């Protein structure tokens, strides 16, 4: 637990993942813990798991969810406003930085819907970090395919008023383009 003085209590082992994994990404949303991708014995994975977070801070059993469209390691994951996002990462090699941003709707039972590919991140990165605050996603640092380390900070709006654009002339909603939630991620249009 996080104590009132900002320190933390002792760590306790909880429910194990269904398989051994490293280079995964983890996030939480609405009472569920999500684990995406990673490596098993140096083999990249596309598996996504969730486990309910119980009122005492422990977690229930992991469930296998809808697989990512492609394997991902050393990526980052965030959850915001009913969507699970997976940003960048590699395909098994630390020099295989990807620029793909995926999203999947999170259902009330902790499962997820189908993955959509959003607009691509400006650079193919592994090992970046990401977080959300007040309707924005921030992606920090990372390593590109040439193994160059970056200190860049990118951000994008995750709010539907800025992330979805309706073109009144064509009368096409972004959802019909197959781009999914927050379709204009990293390519914001006002």
């Amino acid at each position: 637990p996080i104590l009132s003085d900002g320190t933390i209590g002792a760590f306790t082992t909880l429910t194990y993942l269904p398989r051994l994994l490293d280079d995964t990404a983890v996030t939480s949303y609405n009472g569920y813990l999500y684990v995406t991708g990673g490596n098993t014995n140096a083999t990249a994975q596309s598996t996504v798991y969730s486990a309910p977070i119980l009122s005492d801070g422990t977690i229930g059993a992991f469930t296998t969810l809808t697989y990512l469209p492609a394997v991902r390691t050393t990526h980052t994951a965030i959850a915001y406003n009913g969507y699970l996002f997976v940003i960048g990462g590699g395909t098994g090699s630390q020099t295989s930085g990807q620029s793909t941003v995926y999203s999947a709707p999170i259902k009330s039972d902790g499962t997820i819907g189908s993955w959509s590919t959003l607009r691509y991140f400006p650079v193919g990165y592994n090992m970046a970090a990401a977080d959300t605050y007040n309707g924005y996603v921030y992606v920090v640092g990372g390593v590109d395919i040439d193994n160059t380390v970056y200190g860049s900070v990118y951000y994008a709006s995750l709010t539907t008023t800025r992330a979805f654009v309706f073109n009144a002339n064509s009368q096409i909603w972004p959802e019909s383009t197959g781009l999914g939630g927050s379709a204009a991620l990293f390519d914001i249009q006002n």
Side-chain angles (χ1 to χ4, degrees):
I2 299 174
L3 306 177
S4 61
D5 64 359
T7 60
I8 58 173
F11 284 96
T12 303
T13 302
L14 298 177
T15 305
Y16 285 90
L17 288 165
R19 62 173 14 154
L20 298 176
L21 286 170
D22 62 13
D23 295 331
T24 65
V26 63
T27 191
S28 60
Y29 186 79
N30 201 26
Y32 288 88
L33 185 69
Y34 294 91
V35 180
T36 60
N39 280 310
T40 299
N41 298 323
T43 301
Q45 303 294 314
S46 62
T47 312
V48 179
Y49 299 107
S50 75
I53 301 172
L54 307 176
S55 61
D56 63 357
T58 60
I59 60 173
F62 280 98
T63 301
T64 302
L65 303 179
T66 305
Y67 285 76
L68 288 163
V71 296
R72 282 295 176 267
T73 66
T74 63
H75 58 290
T76 189
I78 58 167
Y80 182 79
N81 201 25
Y83 284 89
L84 178 61
F85 297 90
V86 170
I87 302 169
T91 57
S93 165
Q94 287 189 341
T95 58
S96 65
Q98 302 296 303
S99 62
T100 313
V101 179
Y102 298 119
S103 77
I106 300 172
K107 299 178 183 179
S108 61
D109 65 358
T111 61
I112 59 174
S114 298
W115 289 96
S116 295
T117 300
L118 303 183
R119 297 200 193 282
Y120 293 89
F121 191 69
V123 184
Y125 274 166
N126 299 306
M127 299 185 265
D131 201 1
T132 60
Y133 178 75
N134 202 27
Y136 292 89
V137 58
Y138 297 87
V139 181
V140 179
V143 178
D144 70 10
I145 61 172
D146 297 320
N147 216 23
T148 302
V149 178
Y150 287 88
S152 305
V153 177
Y154 291 95
Y155 85 106
S157 174
L158 291 172
T159 60
T160 54
T161 57
R162 298 227 13 217
F164 285 102
V165 178
F166 175 71
N167 182 333
N169 295 326
S170 67
Q171 298 184 2
I172 296 174
W173 286 95
E175 293 90 332
S176 66
T177 65
L179 295 175
S182 299
L185 191 66
F186 300 110
D187 188 13
I188 302 167
Q189 302 173 9
N190 285 315

